[in-house]
Amino acid sequence: MAHRISYFVLFFTVLTVFVAPTNAQLPQISLHAITPAGGQQGATIDFTVAGAANHDAAHQLVFSHAGITAKPKMQSPGIYKDPRPEPGKFQVTIGKNVPPGVYEVRLVGLYGISNARAFVVGDLPETIEKGGNNTRDKANEVAVNSVVNGAVDARNVDYFKFTAKKDQRVLIEAMAERIDSRCDVVISLFDEAGNELDRRHNTHGLDAMMDFKAPADGAYIVGVNDLTYEGGTSHFYRLKLHNRPHIEFVYPPAGMPGKKQTFTLFGRNLPGGKPSDLVSYDGKKLDSLTVDITVPAEPPAVAIADMVRPHEAGLPAFVYQLKSAQGASNPVRIGFATAPAALEKEPNNQAASATPLTVPGEAVGIFGPRRDRDWFRFDAKKGQVLRIETFSHRMGVAADPLIIIERHWKEKDEVKVQTVQTLSSGQGSTGGADFNNATYDPAATWTVPEDGDYRMMVMNRSSGRADPRNLYRVSIKPSDAGGVADFSLVALQTGVKADPKKPDIQPTATLLRRGASDRIRILATRNGYHGDIAVTVENLPQGVSAQPLTIAAGANSGWLMLTAATDAPKWAGQIKVVGKGKAGDKAITREARGGQAIWGAVQNKSVTTARVSTGIALAVMEVEQMPFSIEISSSTDLAMSRAGKL
């Protein structure tokens, strides 16, 4: 097989199968900020690229939903014969049938196709911050059940005024981190006299939500600012004031694939819901509502309700929204269970009152109140090899789970207890600093030492606040159980370094020029699957080829090499990366999710902010061609001494 390397200058150390391109390369387009960050179903809005790099001749927006389209905004001809596109300005039309949710947009220009930025579609009226609203007496007027798009300036607060009736309940929600903003958003609430009534920060990741009940008829003022009073076009936000249903979490957090199952929604303003005994982070009791949901038979390739962080990428899920007369709720993710669930039954804080669990099964519960310890009991046979795996941090919970398994037996009239297994360590990152998917969730394979009665204690070692959203699942199943082996893939496109001497990374997608090669790193998360994974690419444009890739058993990553022919036509779009494996008689096919940097490691921060994206983007540039390339026809390893020549 021939292996092509495209370079201006080549530096060889050790060559195995192929050598990747150097960082000395063409500029690549990078999208930093957009305004507005979303729009209403059925609306046509003015859209601005508020921040981008290397966006020469940018002329097209590509959305992840076909129902969202864009065309350049034209300006008067001036000295030219015909009207010309206004740089960075577009008119975006959102189809009436586009479901509310979080989508993505990319910018296409001379230097390829950009990284993705979140674009939110809603079903409420939307406005844009008018500016000049940095004091409470100049607050912008907004209505309940509306959305305002804005961006905070450095050392400033944006203010908005709304009116409410006595006892009217209003949910005030600010999205920033979840839509790729740099803003660490804080919201505060004042009455007309300037008295602060409430302040919220970090209630949903770095984002904030406030549950407000008006004490009297009148006007109220919401302040929005960055925690450290930074600002600029990259510190954008969406402020939503509404009385719609809001789901805080779903219990149990996972369901059996292909089955209709009963779940309980916990949240606020749930139509037909009843007050529960669970108290949320803000001291308010949550509503509960029982619903039947059919879990898909197979996990979708992409299930993005909001920001999916790297450590959450390997956990399959689907998206659910509650429909109501007041409107749709926020979208939430529900996972795929590996076995039937045993829900904790309080009080189970002592081994003697442990909740029964059948193996194979999943122990499911809530870390709460603080210092809570949940016990489960199960029977096991000597010599059984069991796979024990925890799911909590990967579900977006700020938890550090600890699992202790004890064997209980009687000798004469005395109960004996022996600790036989402790799970305390999570898994390291396979994506490095660029896509840090390390998780605190421990897992282990355990051989049962004796027939008998076993007790499992589950606790959270994190000292975070008490929060009923702190859910966990612990799966216990035979390590060779049929039908449970699976894997997931992420195609990582973190970007390129603008300056090799600095830690900053320019978020972007893959760009090929004619005759050039580039690579995409494929990360594999193995969920009980230990075999080879054969990776192929679909939807490649004309003139682009991909070398076959096999991620061997025991490996967690590999490099996918793409090459453009010397006559490849110009192209920009999305490709599909597919992995295939086989566990016994079960064939497994999984589409890779995209992985991308959001912001590079700048301002003395050494870790890149990254997330899962809805697609894998590729562009071919026709105006540039590599001046030369080298093909290595042998697959034999070629080695040399340091500073040697090849």
Side-chain angles (χ1 to χ4, degrees), residues 250-255 263 333-336 364-365 395 471-473:
V250 180
Y251 193 78
F263 294 84
R333 281 177 284 160
I334 300 176
F336 288 79
V364 177
M395 296 193 301
L471 306 172
Y472 66 83
R473 298 161 44 206

Side-chain angles (χ1 to χ4, degrees), residues 285-303:
K285 283 194 173 183
L286 296 177
D287 299 336
S288 67
L289 177 66
T290 300
V291 296
D292 290 332
I293 302 172
T294 299
V295 180
E298 291 283 344
V302 178

